[in-house]
Amino acid sequence: MAYQSLRLEYLQIPPVSRAYTTACVLTTAAVLELITPFQLYFNPELIFKHFQIWRLITNFLFFGPVGFNFLFNMIFLYRYCRMLEEGSFRGRTADFVFMFLFGGFLMTLFGLFVSLVFLGQAFTIMLVYVWSRRNPYVRMNFFGLLNFQAPFLPWVLMGFSLLLGNSIIVDLLGIAVGHIYFFLEDVFPNQPGGIRILKTPSILKAVFDTPEDDPDYNPLPEERPGGFAWGEGQRLGG
């Protein structure tokens, strides 16, 4: 019975969020038993000179050994990836996949100039940034200590990283890429004389978009963006 409930809950996760989160968990499990991080990390020389192309993908899937940092990142990745897919990207799976590809491409490009070997955490910050800018009136509570509106969430997370002694380059990269996507997708097309630069290729629409929604689909409520005391939020006036 518990297995069936777990299986149904798992299948309720929208496809892109389910695939990415599962790939991250399985990669970590594989590192414990089968492979090492040295086979996964981002290394331009190994990618372009030795044709280890898989590193372009695997560096986004490994979040370090199982521990607080891994769980923290997985929770944020799952929550905000899922809420984006169920919220502003609802019924637009191809556009969501295109955002993944665009963000991954920019991070890989920037990764050539900074000393980062794994880009998954920066990718999570990008998702958080886009969600936060598209939900500006949601109020957040972080660890019961700070109350702020959603657009400040990426900066609060960067401050938290700083307190833990981590490099903020990862957070800044995620924020920068998230801002570029948000500006090109949500801001610039609505400016006088603005145009839509980012256009989802028709092949992605043909593969990922479906004409009808699943009537049995049960999305998470966006009124609970954090899901825990350190990321919980509510809409103003709600």
Side-chain angles (χ1 to χ4, degrees), residues 1-11:
M1 193 69 180
Y3 167 76
Q4 289 294 334
S5 300
L6 216 70
R7 180 176 176 273
L8 288 174
E9 178 61 29
Y10 176 74
L11 293 176

Side-chain angles (χ1 to χ4, degrees), residues 94-234:
D95 293 340
F96 195 47
V97 171
F98 183 63
M99 185 191 77
F100 267 58
L101 296 175
F102 177 77
F105 172 77
L106 280 187
M107 286 187 188
T108 300
L109 192 63
F110 293 151
L112 297 173
F113 305 100
V114 295
S115 300
L116 292 176
V117 293
F118 291 104
L119 298 172
Q121 187 176 342
F123 194 84
T124 299
I125 295 295
M126 180 198 77
L127 297 174
V128 171
Y129 184 91
V130 174
W131 178 88
S132 69
R133 293 301 300 268
R134 289 184 171 179
N135 295 271
Y137 303 113
V138 175
R139 287 198 60 80
M140 312 294 296
N141 180 280
F142 192 77
F143 280 117
L145 300 174
L146 293 174
N147 292 291
F148 52 89
Q149 288 178 239
F152 292 101
L153 179 58
W155 303 100
V156 171
L157 292 176
M158 185 177 71
F160 186 63
S161 292
L162 197 60
L163 287 175
L164 293 177
N166 299 327
S167 171
I168 61 171
I169 297 297
V170 172
D171 301 82
L172 289 174
L173 177 59
I175 289 171
V177 173
H179 183 73
I180 291 171
Y181 176 83
F182 177 76
F183 179 80
L184 293 178
E185 179 69 15
D186 292 35
V187 178
F188 186 64
N190 297 315
Q191 299 297 312
I195 59 172
R196 183 170 296 280
I197 298 175
L198 299 180
K199 295 182 180 179
T200 303
S202 56
I203 186 171
L204 291 181
K205 289 183 175 293
V207 172
F208 292 103
D209 283 351
T210 54
E212 295 182 0
D213 287 335
D214 181 358
D216 298 322
Y217 190 68
N218 183 28
L220 289 177
E222 280 206 2
E223 286 75 21
R224 297 176 55 225
F228 293 86
W230 38 259
E232 192 173 351
Q234 61 182 23

